[in-house]
Amino acid sequence: MSKVSKGKILTDGGHALGDNPFYGLKIGGLSSRVAAPESAKNEVAKLKSKGRVEVRREKAGRGGKTVTTLREFPTHIPSGELESLLVDLKKACACGGTLKGRSLELQGDICDKVLVKLEKRGYKPVRAGG
């Protein structure tokens, strides 16, 4: 230790500052309850459903072409999120598609792939129609 000059306070927990206030604290006396980590909170939020979505396979009025449509998105979902969902589905299913109003149209009969992707995104997909 260096020489202590007049007017300076020791910061090493010595006599100048008194006893260490944490000396008598024992870890065993602390509560075993621990706050939930952030990842657990995020998993709970992911489990919450964003809403019900109807997935249909349509062919009528399209010149014999099959189209998978996603309808009845909840109104609390913004159109920007629908656009990003469309982009993700088009990439995942390797198909074309468009957003018409609040419904998505994807080219081809890809209902099964779409159902899986929607569940991963937090929606509750329902297969509608025949």
Side-chain angles (χ1 to χ4, degrees), residues 72-89:
E72 305 298 325
F73 282 95
T75 56
H76 64 82
I77 297 175
S79 61
E81 187 172 335
L82 292 179
E83 290 172 4
S84 68
L85 175 64
L86 176 65
V87 170
D88 290 344
L89 288 174

Side-chain angles (χ1 to χ4, degrees), residues 35-102:
E38 289 298 319
S39 62
K41 291 178 184 177
N42 290 339
E43 288 177 18
V44 171
K46 286 181 184 176
L47 294 177
K48 250 185 191 177
S49 177
K50 291 183 180 178
R52 181 178 181 269
V53 178
E54 290 183 4
V55 179
R56 295 177 184 256
R57 184 180 143 267
E58 295 180 358
K59 199 170 180 181
R62 301 183 191 275
K65 305 287 183 177
T66 304
V67 176
T68 301
T69 60
L70 288 72
R71 296 184 186 174
E72 305 298 325
F73 282 95
T75 56
H76 64 82
I77 297 175
S79 61
E81 187 172 335
L82 292 179
E83 290 172 4
S84 68
L85 175 64
L86 176 65
V87 170
D88 290 344
L89 288 174
K90 285 170 40 176
K91 285 181 183 177
C93 300
C95 67
T98 186
L99 177 65
K100 290 188 177 177
R102 292 193 56 83

Side-chain angles (χ1 to χ4, degrees), residues 104-123:
L104 303 176
E105 293 183 0
L106 299 169
Q107 296 173 351
D109 183 8
I110 52 173
C111 291
D112 297 330
K113 290 181 184 178
V114 170
L115 291 171
V116 172
K117 296 294 179 185
L118 285 174
E119 284 179 359
K120 286 183 181 178
R121 294 275 304 241
Y123 293 95

